[in-house]
Amino acid sequence: MARIVLEDVHKSFNGAPVLAGVTLSIEDGETLVIIGRSGTGKSVTLKHIIGLLAPDRGRVRVFGRDIATLSRRELLAMRLKIGYLFQGGALLNWLTVAENVALPLREHRHELQDSEIAEIVRQKLAIVEMLPAHDKYPSEISGGMQKRAGLARAIVMDPAIILYDEPTSGLDPVMASSINQLVRRTQQVTGATQLVVTHDMASAFSIADRIAMLYQGRIIAVGTPDEIKECADPVVAQFIRGDPAGPITNGDGPRGCSSEEDDNAHAA
Ligand SMILES: Nc1ncnc2c1ncn2[C@@H]1O[C@H](COP(=O)(O)OP(=O)(O)O)[C@@H](O)[C@H]1O
Ligand SMILES: [Mg+2]
């Protein structure tokens, strides 16, 4: 069953189309990675899933519910079932790692005793291998450790869905691959449905059950990592190779892997 369904989602900002008919389903328990260049609307897509942005046209269904039909209260309740790892980690600098991870519990789980909160925080820090940094401040730990701490906070409410915005950005290759492993492991430990957005191809291939490519406001290819590797679409092939020459530089280009061809996604 699909946990997240985007149906023909359109979104423009000041008349400029960013999403021009995104259609995509993320199945229960899978890790799907959306790849695409910077500025293509990956973060905008994630924001639609937690209802921070509403589509101009089309529908977003999460847990089977159309987000546009939810009351404010229902939307807030739904967000509690979604963990969101923000691009920068978004830790509060004046709180320790443990205090950062405890924040959602302090805000939403008033029935818990301090000792219970401390125990849950330790469990989550153990999952991301950050127990030793329990009492450190964000400025005292590396970028990779900040991502780990951010992930511990994202999973502290036991979300059924985890969204990751560029989990490896700003990390060196060694740290990036340990974060990739952690994303895989988090799925095994939590059983959550995971949606990752990234422009890091190496990361996408090591994390994904399926990869979807966002280009000019639409999903132009979806498949397993092997299928995407063999995709003949020149846009997809160029992006995977990281080749400076190809259709992407020119903006527009022919497409072969899309289910629909001859579209006018680029029309204003
Ligand atoms: N709230 C907003 N208001 C106006 N423009 C926005 C807003 N959010 C995103 N955009 C624009 O939408 C485009 C896609 O942004 P984004 O989703 O952040 O790209 P990325 O794929 O790098 O995550 C960018 O051109 C960005 O400037
Ligand atoms: Mg982004």
Side-chain angles (χ1 to χ4, degrees), residues 20 22 24 30-31 45 64 75-76 81 102 133 148 164 168 171 185 207:
V22 167
L24 183 67
E30 79 170 333
T31 295
T45 301
L75 181 62
L76 293 177
K81 295 193 273 177
R148 285 173 183 269
Y164 298 81
T168 59
L171 302 182
R185 202 153 62 83
I207 291 174

Side-chain angles (χ1 to χ4, degrees), residues 47-220:
K47 286 173 188 164
H48 277 81
I49 293 165
I50 54 168
L52 281 179
L53 289 172
D56 299 332
R57 218 175 92 198
R59 255 197 321 181
V60 179
R61 280 191 284 131
V62 182
F63 301 114
R65 303 280 308 273
D66 179 347
I67 292 197
T69 66
L70 299 181
S71 68
R72 179 96 195 132
R73 238 178 91 189
E74 288 172 322
L75 181 62
L76 293 177
M78 192 203 74
R79 276 190 200 147
L80 296 182
K81 295 193 273 177
I82 302 179
Y84 200 129
L85 182 60
F86 293 93
Q87 193 159 347
L91 300 173
L92 300 178
N93 284 318
W94 58 91
L95 297 179
T96 65
V97 164
E99 288 164 348
N100 266 285
V101 175
L103 272 181
L105 298 173
R106 297 214 179 276
E107 209 172 314
H108 301 290
R109 301 283 306 274
H110 297 292
E111 78 282 8
L112 293 177
Q113 310 280 326
D114 282 354
S115 60
E116 293 170 307
I117 289 180
E119 180 50 33
I120 296 171
V121 167
R122 294 179 72 80
Q123 276 171 17
K124 303 308 178 192
L125 284 176
I127 291 173
V128 301
E129 294 170 338
M130 282 285 288
L131 265 181
H134 188 277
D135 297 318
K136 293 250 194 307
Y137 286 88
S139 61
E140 299 174 316
I141 59 178
S142 70
M145 290 168 87
Q146 290 176 13
K147 299 265 190 192
R148 285 173 183 269
L151 180 56
R153 191 180 57 192
I155 63 174
V156 79
M157 301 281 289
D158 296 321
I161 292 173
I162 308 173
L163 308 177
Y164 298 81
D165 196 344
E166 306 272 5
T168 59
S169 75
L171 302 182
D172 68 52
V174 176
M175 274 192 199
S177 62
S178 87
I179 293 294
N180 291 337
Q181 279 177 10
L182 181 60
V183 174
R184 294 269 3 143
R185 202 153 62 83
T186 302
Q187 185 193 45
Q188 286 156 14
V189 173
T190 66
T193 300
Q194 305 199 113
L195 176 59
V196 180
V197 305
T198 187
H199 64 272
D200 176 348
M201 287 307 306
S203 173
F205 280 110
S206 72
I207 291 174
D209 295 316
R210 287 193 305 150
I211 294 175
M213 180 157 174
L214 181 64
Y215 182 67
Q216 293 184 345
R218 307 184 75 205
I219 299 295
I220 60 164

Side-chain angles (χ1 to χ4, degrees), residues 13-14 18 37-45 53 165-166:
F13 294 106
N14 310 313
V18 173
R37 297 175 86 193
S38 294
T40 48
K42 301 185 300 295
S43 297
V44 164
T45 301
L53 289 172
D165 196 344
E166 306 272 5

